Amino acid sequence: MKRINADTILGVLFGGLGVFIWVWSARWIDIESYDPIGPAYFPRFMAAIIVGMSAVLVLQSLLTVKSPAHKPDTKGVQPWVYQLGSVLLACSAYLILMNPLGYIISTFAFLGVLIIILGVRNWKTVAKSSLFLTAFLYLLFAYVLGVLLPDGILAVIFS
Amino acid sequence: MENLLTGLENVFTLNNMLAIWLGTLAGTIGGAIPGINASMTMALLLPFTWGMNPITALLMFVGVYCGGQYGGSIPAILIGTPGTTSSAATVVDGFLMHQKGQTGKAVGISLLSGGVGGFISTILLIFIAVPLASIALAFGPPEYFGLAIMGLTMIASLSGKNIVKGLIAGAFGLLLSTVGLDPFSPAIRFSFGSLNLVNGLEVIPVMMGMFAVGQVLYQIRSHEDLPGLDEKAMTQFPTWQEFWRCGPAMVIASVVGMIVGIMPGSGASIGCWIGYNEARRWSKQPELYGTGIMEGVAAPEAANNAVTGGALVPLLALGIPGSNSTAIMLAALMIHGLVPGPLLFLEHPDIPYSIFVGLFVANIAMLVVGYVFLKAAIKIVNIPEPILNAGIIALVFVGAFTINNNLFDVAVVFAFGILGYVMKVYGFPVTATVLGFVLGFLVETSLRRSLTLSDGSWMIFLERPIAAVLLAVAIITIVFSLYREFRPKSKDASSAA
C-alpha cells in the first residue's frame, strides 16, 4: 500500500521552493558581473540540487509504507501542540510589543506568560523568576554591555 | 617555537585567562544541563564576543568547548541522562557506578580522563594542524571549492539518518548564504524589497535560532520529566592505582577521539561511542564493560574531550568547520574579519598558536572548575526546565537585538528557531544547513573564481589534481550513502509487497 506521508509533503514543498528559486533567479541573468557565470548561476545550481533531491525524497517516501522520520500520532491532539502553539504566539506578541511597551515591561510579561505556558502554576514562582530574569538580562545588556534597549512607555522615567 | 611563545604571551594575560576560565565554567554548566550542549552554550555567548578581542573570544569558546564535554558527564552519571550527546556512552558504566554508590569515583575518573584526552589531542593538534596548513597554502579557488563541497557532503551524509534530506539541508544552507548583495555584481538577491536583507542574513541570529530556539521548541515537543540530581554527590577522586589502571583505555580512546574529531560531520557524539568500543576491544577484560567499571567511564570521556583538539584541525588548517561548535568558532572569527585556513598561520600566527596554548590551559581549567564547582553545577542543573527554557529564549532574543539594535534580527532568530524545530522533527540535519550557510560564501566565490580562470569551463576541476580528488571523495560519499540508504529499504519494500 503506497501512501502520502510527511516526507512526501516536505519533498513537494522543497521541490516547489527549488522551482521558485529557479524562476526568481531569472531576473539576475542579464546583470553584468565580473565573472562569466553571473549572480543567477549559483542559486540556480542549488535550486536544481534541491529539486532533484526533493524528487528522490518524494519517490523514496512513496516507495516505503511508513515515513522513516515521522510517525503520525493517532491519539488526537497532544498537549504539547497547544503548548508549542502558545509559545509561538507569545514570541510573536513579544516581537510586536517590545518597541511600544519597552524592554522591561514586555520582557517581564513575556517571561511570565512563557513560564506559565511551559508548566509552572505557582504564581509566586512565576513572578519571582520573571522578575529576576528580566532584571538580570536588563542589567547585563543595558548597563554592563551598554546596549540601547527600547524604553517604550517607560521613556518618561528614563529620560 | 617563536609562535608558540607568542601564543603563551597572549594566553597568559588577565583578560584571556579570565575568558578561558569563565568559558570553561559556562561550558561545564551548559553541558551539565540536559538539552544544552557546548554548541548551544557557544551560540548563547556569541553576541557577547562582539566587542571582544578575537583571541579573547576564541579562547572563551575553547574553554566552553572543553567544559561542555566534561559537564555532559555529570547528569550522565548522576541521573542516567547525558547532558550532551557526547556523553551518551558515559551513561552505560557511569550510571551503574552511581547506583553502586561509587558516584565520586565515577565523576572523578570522568574529569581526569577528560583532562588526559584533552592534553593528548592538543599535542597531536599542534603536530597535525601546522604541516597541514603549509600544504593547504598551495590551494587555489578550485581546491577550496572541492574542499568545501567535500566537507559539506560528508556532514550531510553523516549528521542525519537520510542522505537525501542531508543534501537538501546543505543546499538550502548554501542558498541562504546568497541572500543580499552579490559579491561579483550589483545584483541584490532574495531581499524581496527588504532593506534589512540587502546585506544578507547575519550569522549570529541564524545560528542562535537554529541551535538554541529550535532545541527549546523541540524539548517542548519531546518533554520528559527528568529526575533531580543528588546534591549530596561530591567529587571524590579515584586512587592513583585506579587512575593508572584506566591508562590504556584513556590513551586508546583519546587517539580514536582525535581521529574522529578530524573527520567532518562526526564529532564527540560519535567519538564517545567509538572510543568506548575500541577501549573495550583492546581491554584484557572486555566482558566487564557495561557492568559499571571505571574504564567504561574513562574511555568515552577521554574520547569526547580528545575530539575537541581533532575538530580544530580542519577549522584552523583548512578553514572548514567539522562540527556545530567549530562552525560557531568560525563565525566568531568571521565576525572579527578573520578567515581561518592556511593564511591564518601566515598572516595571524598568534591566533592559532594562542588557541593551541589556550586548549592546554582550558584542560587545566576544566580539571579545577570541574572539581570546585561540581556542587554549584548540580544546583544549576536542578533549575526547573520551564524557567530555564524561558530564560534561554529571552536571552537569545535580547542577544540578537544587540547586533544591530534592530528587532529584525530578533525576528530572524524566531523564524530560524521554527525552521530548526521543523527540521529536527522531520529528520533534516540542522548542522548541514548551518554549515552550508557558513561555507556558502566560500563555495560560491571559489566556484565563480575557478570558472573565471577557466573561461566558464568545469574542466578546471578535473585538471587540478587536488580539486579532482576532493570532488571525487564528495561524489563517492554521496553515491555510497545513497546506496546504503536505498539498499535495505528496497528489501523492506519487496518483503512488504
Side-chain angles (χ1 to χ4, degrees):
Chain A
M1 179 80 187
K2 297 170 178 62
R3 64 182 188 205
I4 292 170
N5 57 34
D7 283 354
T8 321
I9 297 165
L10 285 165
V12 171
L13 284 175
F14 269 111
L17 175 77
V19 172
F20 168 75
I21 300 290
W22 183 276
V23 174
W24 189 266
S25 306
R27 63 190 61 205
W28 308 311
I29 288 176
D30 297 328
I31 290 180
E32 222 171 273
S33 180
Y34 294 110
D35 65 314
I37 59 171
Y41 189 89
F42 189 71
R44 286 190 147 198
F45 186 26
M46 290 304 112
I49 292 174
I50 290 176
V51 170
M53 287 297 120
S54 300
V56 177
L57 186 65
V58 170
L59 278 175
Q60 193 183 25
S61 67
L62 290 175
L63 291 172
T64 49
V65 177
K66 283 180 189 172
S67 163
H70 179 64
K71 289 173 188 166
D73 262 315
T74 50
K75 295 174 189 169
V77 182
Q78 297 285 308
W80 63 262
V81 177
Y82 296 113
Q83 224 176 11
L84 191 66
S86 308
V87 169
L88 297 181
L89 271 178
C91 291
S92 311
Y94 181 56
L95 277 172
I96 296 165
L97 296 173
M98 197 203 275
N99 261 338
L101 289 182
Y103 181 77
I104 296 176
I105 294 176
S106 60
T107 305
F108 177 70
F110 172 62
L111 279 166
V113 170
L114 214 54
I115 292 169
I116 292 168
I117 293 170
L118 294 176
V120 178
R121 293 291 177 265
N122 182 329
W123 69 269
K124 274 185 184 172
T125 312
V126 173
K128 274 195 278 185
S129 309
S130 4
L131 190 67
F132 171 77
L133 285 170
T134 307
F136 172 74
L137 292 174
Y138 185 77
L139 291 173
L140 179 67
F141 282 90
Y143 286 95
V144 180
L145 300 172
V147 179
L148 287 171
L149 294 169
D151 291 333
I153 51 174
L154 296 179
V156 185
I157 301 168
F158 288 109
S159 58
Chain B
M1 193 63 198
E2 194 186 315
N3 290 325
L4 214 52
L5 286 172
T6 314
L8 274 167
E9 266 177 42
N10 282 337
V11 171
F12 287 95
T13 61
L14 183 67
N15 279 353
N16 291 345
M17 286 300 275
L18 206 62
I20 295 177
W21 285 77
L22 287 178
T24 310
L25 177 63
T28 307
I29 295 167
I33 300 169
I36 297 184
N37 50 27
S39 54
M40 192 165 164
T41 312
M42 284 185 192
L44 291 171
L45 291 174
L46 202 53
F48 295 98
T49 65
W50 200 257
M52 281 184 189
N53 171 302
I55 294 177
T56 311
L58 282 165
L59 290 175
M60 185 176 76
F61 283 153
V62 164
V64 174
Y65 203 6
C66 287
Q69 306 301 341
Y70 161 67
S73 73
I74 298 173
I77 292 166
L78 298 179
I79 58 171
T81 303
T84 61
T85 50
S86 59
S87 295
T90 310
V91 174
V92 181
D93 282 83
F95 190 51
L96 281 172
M97 282 183 76
H98 169 59
Q99 286 175 324
K100 283 194 227 169
Q102 300 171 348
T103 315
K105 287 193 187 292
V107 177
I109 198 68
S110 147
L111 187 57
L112 288 170
S113 53
V116 170
F119 287 126
I120 291 177
S121 79
T122 309
I123 295 165
L124 292 175
L125 168 70
I126 298 169
F127 283 105
I128 295 172
V130 180
L132 193 62
S134 13
I135 295 167
L137 272 174
F139 281 21
E143 286 77 19
Y144 270 109
F145 177 73
L147 190 65
I149 292 294
M150 186 194 74
L152 205 58
T153 49
M154 285 183 84
I155 284 154
S157 61
L158 290 172
S159 58
K161 288 178 184 166
N162 185 324
I163 172 74
V164 179
K165 289 180 178 178
L167 289 172
I168 292 175
F172 183 64
L174 288 170
L175 206 51
L176 286 174
S177 73
T178 63
V179 173
L181 193 63
D182 176 42
F184 293 84
S185 75
I188 296 167
R189 299 180 292 185
F190 306 115
S191 71
F192 304 107
S194 165
L195 280 177
N196 290 306
L197 288 174
V198 170
N199 286 325
L201 290 161
E202 293 272 1
V203 176
I204 300 175
V206 170
M207 282 193 170
M208 287 201 300
M210 293 195 94
F211 287 136
V213 178
Q215 180 62 31
V216 169
L217 296 178
Y218 189 74
Q219 273 175 21
I220 294 169
R221 182 195 166 92
S222 56
H223 180 75
E224 282 175 13
D225 288 326
L226 299 169
L229 295 186
D230 180 8
E231 286 190 37
K232 285 178 188 165
M234 289 291 291
T235 303
Q236 180 196 331
F237 270 55
T239 60
W240 277 111
Q241 204 182 0
E242 287 167 330
F243 176 71
W244 284 117
R245 202 183 68 210
C246 295
M250 285 184 208
V251 173
I252 291 167
S254 298
V255 174
V256 169
M258 173 82 187
I259 294 165
V260 171
I262 294 172
M263 289 157 61
S266 333
S269 45
I270 296 173
C272 69
W273 285 109
I274 301 181
Y276 182 85
N277 282 335
E278 287 310 308
R280 183 173 59 179
R281 190 203 307 268
W282 294 94
S283 166
K284 284 175 186 164
Q285 295 171 301
E287 69 282 358
L288 292 179
Y289 276 74
T291 60
I293 58 165
M294 237 179 259
E295 289 90 329
V297 176
E301 285 303 309
N304 68 25
N305 263 71
V307 166
T308 54
L312 287 171
V313 172
L315 175 75
L316 292 175
L318 308 168
I320 305 292
S323 65
N324 295 342
S325 301
T326 45
I328 295 171
M329 284 192 197
L330 174 68
L333 279 166
M334 285 161 71
I335 286 169
H336 293 94
L338 297 163
V339 183
L343 285 177
L344 192 71
F345 282 82
L346 279 184
E347 291 167 1
H348 302 279
D350 52 326
I351 292 178
Y353 282 93
S354 299
I355 291 175
F356 296 156
V357 179
L359 209 51
F360 265 115
V361 178
N363 279 295
I364 295 168
M366 186 191 76
L367 290 171
V368 179
V369 167
Y371 182 69
V372 175
F373 290 96
L374 178 62
K375 256 191 134 178
I378 288 169
K379 280 191 179 154
I380 290 166
V381 175
N382 277 335
I383 293 174
E385 210 179 293
I387 297 169
L388 185 71
N389 282 342
I392 288 171
I393 293 180
L395 175 64
V396 163
F397 280 1
V398 68
F401 184 84
T402 59
I403 301 166
N404 295 311
N405 271 37
N406 188 342
L407 273 175
F408 178 78
D409 290 321
V410 186
V412 170
V413 171
F414 182 45
F416 277 91
I418 296 171
L419 181 69
Y421 163 77
V422 172
M423 288 179 73
K424 264 178 175 285
V425 170
Y426 292 103
F428 287 84
V430 172
T431 318
T433 301
V434 170
L435 290 183
F437 177 63
V438 172
L439 291 176
F441 182 79
L442 175 73
V443 173
E444 185 179 11
T445 51
S446 303
L447 172 69
R448 290 170 73 173
R449 282 188 185 125
S450 305
L451 294 180
T452 304
L453 289 171
S454 66
D455 283 328
S457 166
W458 278 78
M459 287 305 286
I460 189 169
F461 296 108
L462 295 179
E463 289 159 1
R464 306 274 285 244
I466 298 174
V469 168
L470 293 169
L471 286 171
V473 172
I475 291 166
I476 290 167
T477 306
I478 294 173
V479 171
F480 177 74
S481 303
L482 281 171
Y483 172 72
R484 200 181 52 186
E485 176 83 29
F486 283 98
R487 192 181 53 170
K489 278 172 195 159
S490 57
K491 276 183 189 170
D492 291 347
S494 59
S495 62

